[in-house]
Amino acid sequence: MIGAEIFAVEPWSVRERQLHVDLLAQTESLFALSNGHIGLRGNLDEGEPSGAPGTFLNGFYEVRPLPYAESAYGNPEAGQTMINVTNGKLIRLLVDDEPFDLRYGKVVRHERELDLRDGVLRREVEWISPAGQGVRVRSTRLVSFVQRSVAAIRYEVEPIGSSVRVVVQSELVANEPPPETKDDPRAAAALRAPLVSEFDAHSDLRARLVHRARASELRVAAAMDHLVEGPDRTVTESESEPDLARVTVSTELEPGQVLGVVKLIAYGWSSRRSLPSLRDQVDAALAAAKRTGWGELARTQREYLDDVWERADVELEGDPALQQAMRFALFHVVQSAARAEGRAIPAKGLTGSGYDGHTFWDMETFTLPVLTYVAPDAARDALGWRHATIDLAQARARELGLEGVAFPWRTIRGQECSGYWPAGTAAFHINADIADAVRRYLKASGDDEFEQGPGLELLVATARLWRSLGHHAPDGGFRIGGVTGPDEYTALVDNNVYTNLMAARNLRVAAEAALRHPKRAGELSVSQEEIASWRDAAEAVVIPFDSDLKVTPECEGFTKFRPWDFETIPADEYPLLMNYHNYLLYSSQVVKQADLVLALYVCGEHFDDEQKARDFDYYEAITVRDSSLSAATQAVVAAEVGHLELAYDYLGETAFIDLRDLAFNTRDGVHLAALAGTWLAAVAGFGGMRDFGETLSFAPRLPSRIARLSFGLLYRGRRLRVEVRPDRACYELLHGEELEIVHHGESVTLSSSSPLTCELPPPPERTPPTPPPGRAPPRRHREA
């Protein structure tokens, strides 16, 4: 874990006050920069020491075989792995012929800062070489939100004490050696030397490399150019070879003199475009960046984020560390998707190679709800990517003998990449998750063009899957069998409640959309009979209930599964999937991550308050949170049923999942969905926001340690800000026409003329539930 003392607590930055070599892999993920198009891990400029190199391009992957001991019909034959492409971050420094390497000599000062307002990573080092020469090195790195193909680094060297000879080597390097592989299915499959050189060239201060991936045959071009400011007699030269391009700057610095190098980096990649086309693309991107210059790149970066924070910032008074973590989380969520534009949002963003760079249901269920209300264009783009892969999902459904679409459990390009079908293919709920993300986006945006185009097509195709996958039983109930819900410790079950409720909503929303747009529905061959069949299935969907315990089983028969003996499980045997066979997990009452509790949140209209409280208590006692997705959902529902202090602890867990490395795998990249869950825990948990009704509803309440919560939302062309204090909530319509919302069950109307203040009712008094032994969330109040 990363101790609380590692980072200074500041409202708008994450600052590491000294270098922690043993935490390099983790801080490389935390300090990663991205715009959703390009991702640069926060490696040291000189490249060594490092935890894991990482330069990632969204959608650039290699194909690898999926071996099976016993193959079966329908098993995916190939996987996809996001690979580390040509590294343009490298800037090596020689001081009087001594390599600048922090493992040698003396580090007098080392500080790195992720600036959440400026969107840059800053670094300042004072170092004395083994020969006794001191230098000060400053660097600032950015991945541009405005010029999406461009990253840039400003690098400065000055002597401390006497004059010094310095050489700066700025490089492009392909096929860097990958880190050692780990016996952990959450980590990426490292591929060695996946890039084949096709072109290299250099001239003046510019160099270019073009490669293609061996199996996927994707092509990538990387280029760099430089702006150099130094004393007279500064000399430069350039060179290139298949996997390396280098620009060298050499000078002698007197005390008070500074060598400044601005490195501009550009990337382009495609599965179809030719080598000359990609080469010319990166040349053009560099020309534009060079004309713009460092100052303008930095200014427009800040300007872009000023606009983001104006609408997206969440303010928490009473817990400065949590405030910092909230903004860190939002920054990573926004930068993961800002300029993805037609590509997916991987589970780790572009911060590390964990999960092979795959996209899961996390995107629609955790990340897109945040983007829908703070960056709706990014949410639209992500849904547009799903729609762009609909032909592959249709082909997969046909392969499975189903109608409609079967979207993949894990993928990069759109093909199913899960080699374990009980947790992958059988998790059909991802199709309803996608449909619900479409529903949410359409409701929040009023985007009629998207609804009649990709939106309706996605809704219709997913509805057809459910009508095909389920069946009407003799008793009239619509049953969906043999599926895996969100809880991956309970696989291949009948009538998973979350899946069934989400499928029913999918069917209803598809029917309503088809009726709103009959012409477009007709073009998709949707008949009135088919619409009626969707509605009938939705009304008859089976929702199991245990009348003896008066709780909702996660799936049919779940409350009759064998109890799990939590008392005997030592702490080092979590996560359970690493130490217990799936058979034991699948047949026992042990929950990996919120499943039924997730249904209480996203399908809350189907449960009354007392049922939610009983169900939450039941599942709290058997949920071990071996998934980083769980804490945010438990925070939301804990807050709703009145366990505000427990919700506060869960908010802390999801907020600090990476800043404290609570899951011990931040080295592989940040947990993007969990970071998005920080927003959900605050806005849906303590803000009580729900969006499954006709309009937005709020039921805010605060834990004792939070004196004030404030958050913004974009909704139907309006900009809202909600401020919650212990005894009241204030709703302010900052822009747009008046809007009706619901506050604690009462309809109220907002207008731009004046804010509306409403009193908060007291929370219900309930006895806090008990999590499994050793699995309670960290107590947040100890730090607050």
Side-chain angles (χ1 to χ4, degrees), residues 63 211 226 368 416 549 679 770 784:
V63 175
H211 289 79
H226 301 79
L368 291 196
E416 179 60 72
L549 296 175
W679 186 93
T770 303

Side-chain angles (χ1 to χ4, degrees), residues 58 336-337 340 343-347 349 358-360 363 367-368 371 378 382 672:
N58 197 338
S336 74
R343 292 182 171 89
I345 304 172
H358 291 167
T359 295
F360 296 77
M363 182 177 82
T367 307
L368 291 196
L371 295 174
L672 195 63

Side-chain angles (χ1 to χ4, degrees), residues 17-35:
R17 293 165 286 194
Q18 66 182 74
L19 183 66
H20 298 271
V21 176
D22 58 325
L23 297 175
L24 272 176
Q26 292 93 322
T27 55
E28 287 164 0
S29 297
L30 300 176
F31 290 153
L33 294 176
S34 174
N35 59 9

